[in-house]
């Protein structure tokens, strides 16, 4: 039986891991799960995935991973690009951390895309699924640099979708809302390390931390990663995949509110949410 090769970046945790577990259950897909340290994803092999080392900030590592898949399947049938988030205010966040986040979320995504496209074009088919965020459509305070990386993913995906359509390549963007993975903990930890308790943004950072904890704990506002994995499955397998998949009802409400009512209304909403930080 011929299967479609699916290469997923960042499967050691979160959405990437959920996608690898979910897609590995399909007999028509051969899933390549990747991470910097393969011991972190060794259990995915028992779930049916093939495990590869991949660091999307390292050129040799990216070349080797793509070559491995192409050697077995002639081309990568589907590339799923995931990412991560670090939080902190614009003034206080160290730019080394900002560069590290852009290296993974933007430049790593772009380079992996460049590497798989020649063989996809030669085959006349392929799919690229980029995991963005509702945070690529609207911005919350204390997350500006993370949001900037996701806005960049929006732009890259929109351009790529048009550029590659004539070669039979379909491109989709996944825009999750709050997903109950380790994302919230990483965001809280990086936010705490980037600010000082007696600094000018201390009240805002504390309010943001409380907002994140309450939101991720809410079954109404957040969802499990399997919800995103199902959206990714649709983008991977549907005959006519959507250009965008906004995941969770709360994310859809926020995205449409921001789009319809503009910046002033959204700023007013944020002032209500962060009123204790004023």
């Amino acid at each position: 039986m011929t299967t479609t090769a699916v290469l997923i970046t960042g499967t050691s945790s979160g959405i990437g891991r959920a996608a690898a577990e979910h897609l590995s259950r399909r007999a028509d897909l051969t899933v390549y799960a990747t991470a910097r340290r393969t011991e972190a994803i060794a259990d995915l092999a028992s779930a049916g995935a093939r495990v590869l080392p991949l660091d999307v900030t390292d050129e040799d590592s990216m070349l080797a991973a793509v070559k491995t898949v192409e050697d077995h399947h002639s081309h990568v049938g589907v590339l799923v690009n995931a990412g991560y988030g670090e939080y902190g205010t614009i003034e206080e966040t160290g730019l080394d951390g900002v560069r590290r986040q852009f290296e993974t979320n933007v430049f790593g995504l772009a380079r992996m895309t460049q590497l798989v496209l020649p063989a996809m074009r030669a085959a006349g088919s392929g799919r690229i699924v980029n995991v963005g965020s509702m945070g690529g459509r609207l911005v919350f305070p204390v997350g500006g640099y993370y949001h900037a990386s996701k806005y960049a993913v929006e732009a890259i995906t929109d351009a790529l979708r048009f550029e590659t359509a004539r070669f039979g390549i379909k491109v989709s963007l996944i825009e999750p809302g709050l997903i109950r993975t380790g994302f919230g903990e990483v965001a809280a930890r990086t936010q705490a390390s980037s600010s000082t308790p007696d600094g000018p943004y201390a009240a805002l950072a504390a309010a943001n931390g409380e907002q994140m904890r309450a939101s991720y704990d809410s079954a109404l506002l957040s969802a499990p990663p399997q919800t995103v994995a199902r959206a990714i499955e649709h983008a991977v397998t549907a005959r006519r995949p959507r250009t965008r998949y906004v995941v969770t009802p709360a994310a859809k409400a926020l995205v449409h509110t921001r789009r319809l009512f503009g910046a002033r209304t959204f700023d007013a909403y944020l002032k209500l949410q962060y009123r204790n930080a004023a």
Side-chain angles (χ1 to χ4, degrees):
M1 176 183 178
T2 301
T3 60
T4 298
V6 181
L7 176 59
I8 309 175
T9 69
T11 65
S12 60
S13 62
I15 291 170
R17 171 175 279 269
E21 291 173 339
H22 187 74
L23 295 178
S24 292
R25 300 188 185 109
R26 294 186 61 110
D28 56 341
L29 303 177
T30 301
V31 174
Y32 288 82
T34 70
R36 288 186 177 94
R37 298 180 300 104
T38 54
E39 58 267 28
I41 56 173
D43 59 307
L44 290 176
S46 61
R50 300 185 186 183
V51 172
L52 287 178
L54 174 60
D55 180 350
V56 298
T57 67
D58 181 89
E59 177 74 7
D60 290 340
S61 178
M62 290 186 281
L63 286 167
V66 172
K67 184 178 185 302
T68 296
V69 179
E70 291 181 348
D71 284 348
H72 286 87
H73 300 270
S74 79
H75 71 289
V76 174
V78 181
L79 172 65
V80 180
N81 286 306
Y84 79 104
E86 291 189 5
Y87 270 50
T89 64
I90 299 301
E91 180 179 348
E92 294 178 313
T93 302
L95 290 182
D96 284 346
V98 176
R99 292 186 184 97
R100 186 167 55 246
Q101 187 162 203
F102 270 74
E103 282 292 341
T104 297
N105 290 0
V106 181
F107 304 126
L109 173 149
R111 185 58 179 147
M112 286 297 296
T113 299
Q114 289 178 337
L115 290 174
V116 303
L117 278 175
M120 282 187 178
R121 284 191 291 102
S125 67
R127 298 194 184 195
I128 296 174
V129 181
N130 290 332
V131 180
S133 170
M134 73 171 180
R137 306 275 289 276
L138 51 87
V139 177
F140 287 102
V142 199
Y145 291 118
Y146 166 73
H147 287 281
S149 74
K150 293 305 185 179
Y151 268 72
V153 171
E154 293 267 337
I156 290 168
T157 305
D158 280 343
L160 182 69
R161 186 177 63 254
F162 189 87
E163 292 168 359
T164 60
R166 67 192 183 95
F167 302 114
I169 298 166
K170 296 179 172 63
V171 180
S172 296
L173 180 65
I174 310 295
E175 299 174 315
L178 301 179
I179 304 301
R180 294 191 291 273
T181 63
F183 181 95
E185 288 80 0
V186 172
R189 185 175 67 252
T190 54
Q191 173 189 299
S193 66
S194 70
S195 61
T196 55
D198 56 350
Y201 303 100
L204 177 62
N208 189 65
E210 184 56 39
Q211 283 286 332
M212 284 198 298
R213 280 190 292 274
S215 297
Y216 277 100
D217 286 344
S218 169
L220 181 65
L221 297 177
S222 65
Q226 291 75 20
T227 305
V228 188
R230 288 192 290 272
I232 293 172
E233 180 184 22
H234 190 275
V236 168
T237 61
R239 187 174 65 85
R240 295 184 63 186
R242 302 175 204 163
T243 58
R244 278 175 167 76
Y245 295 79
V246 183
V247 183
T248 79
K252 291 175 183 177
L254 283 169
V255 166
H256 292 307
T257 297
R258 175 65 180 83
R259 179 176 60 86
L260 292 172
F261 296 104
R264 288 183 184 274
T265 300
F266 194 73
D267 283 356
Y269 161 76
L270 291 177
K271 286 179 181 177
L272 285 174
Q273 296 297 306
Y274 292 87
R275 56 187 175 275
N276 293 331

